[in-house]
Amino acid sequence: ARFCIVIFLLLFNLASLAQTNWYVSTTGNNATGDGSVGNPWQTIGHALSHASVVNGDIINVAAGTYTESPATISKQVTIQGVTGTIIQTSGTTPLFTVSAVSVRIIGFEIIKTDDLVSQNIITVQGNDFELANCIIHAQYLMGDGEVTRGIEISSGRTGISIHDNEFYALRQPGI
């Protein structure tokens, strides 16, 4: 009986280590897509909220321009783009609010398209966050009253890694 319990726990732990690759493309469809490479979803927000996407998964975003609505990242995922993957955002709500631990955002150009209101583009509330190989910029001009931050990190966060990024045309990069 002990041997069976040990085998069950070992298999359970190995299954929990598996990660699934999901796909998003500008030609995808949130209603009929299944997140596979051949039938991708259309938006990152849809992928983040889909019940099949779980901790440890990777969301691969194809090249193209995405106009995304604000989304909360509440799962331990990696969201990665390729050269030419652009996310546009506007308004006052953060594009991404990261509430989970061990989230990675890699390889995007993120553009705030309006300069009428202030916005924190990424708000980090979880530990062990990585932002890498991204370009984040807005429409700020000197003397402009708009206060957009590229990234805002809540106090007390640990394990934050921000590297190989470029920030410009922001009133405050916010790092």
Side-chain angles (χ1 to χ4, degrees):
R2 284 187 195 171
F3 178 74
C4 290
I5 291 171
V6 169
I7 293 297
F8 171 77
L9 291 174
L10 180 63
L11 291 174
F12 179 77
N13 284 337
L14 288 176
S16 68
L17 294 176
Q19 63 185 21
T20 302
N21 279 282
W22 300 101
Y23 297 89
V24 173
S25 171
T26 57
T27 59
N29 188 306
N30 289 343
T32 61
D34 60 12
S36 67
V37 69
N39 195 14
W41 292 311
Q42 188 175 28
T43 64
I44 298 166
H46 182 79
L48 288 169
S49 66
H50 200 279
S52 298
V53 177
V54 297
N55 289 342
D57 285 357
I58 299 169
I59 299 170
N60 298 283
V61 185
T65 300
Y66 300 81
T67 302
E68 290 285 329
S69 298
T72 297
I73 304 174
S74 58
K75 301 171 187 175
Q76 176 186 335
V77 294
T78 296
I79 307 166
Q80 59 188 19
V82 296
T83 300
T85 306
I86 300 167
I87 302 172
Q88 297 178 336
T89 183
S90 62
T92 59
T93 305
L95 170 65
F96 293 127
T97 298
V98 180
S99 62
V101 299
S102 300
V103 169
R104 301 171 66 213
I105 299 174
I106 302 169
F108 293 97
E109 179 177 2
I110 302 173
I111 306 168
K112 179 172 171 49
T113 58
D114 65 341
D115 70 348
L116 304 175
V117 293
S118 301
Q119 178 184 28
N120 297 323
I121 295 174
I122 300 172
T123 296
V124 179
Q125 300 169 342
N127 292 327
D128 301 319
F129 171 78
E130 179 181 13
L131 180 71
N133 302 314
C134 290
I135 301 169
I136 299 177
H137 58 100
Q139 310 298 318
Y140 177 73
L141 299 171
M142 189 62 80
D144 182 337
E146 182 260 341
V147 182
T148 292
R149 295 173 186 90
I151 184 167
E152 177 188 50
I153 301 169
S154 296
S155 65
R157 301 301 97 205
T158 60
I160 305 297
S161 177
I162 299 171
H163 60 91
D164 303 312
N165 299 289
E166 181 181 345
F167 297 88
Y168 67 91
L170 299 157
R171 172 103 181 251
Q172 300 174 350
I175 298 174

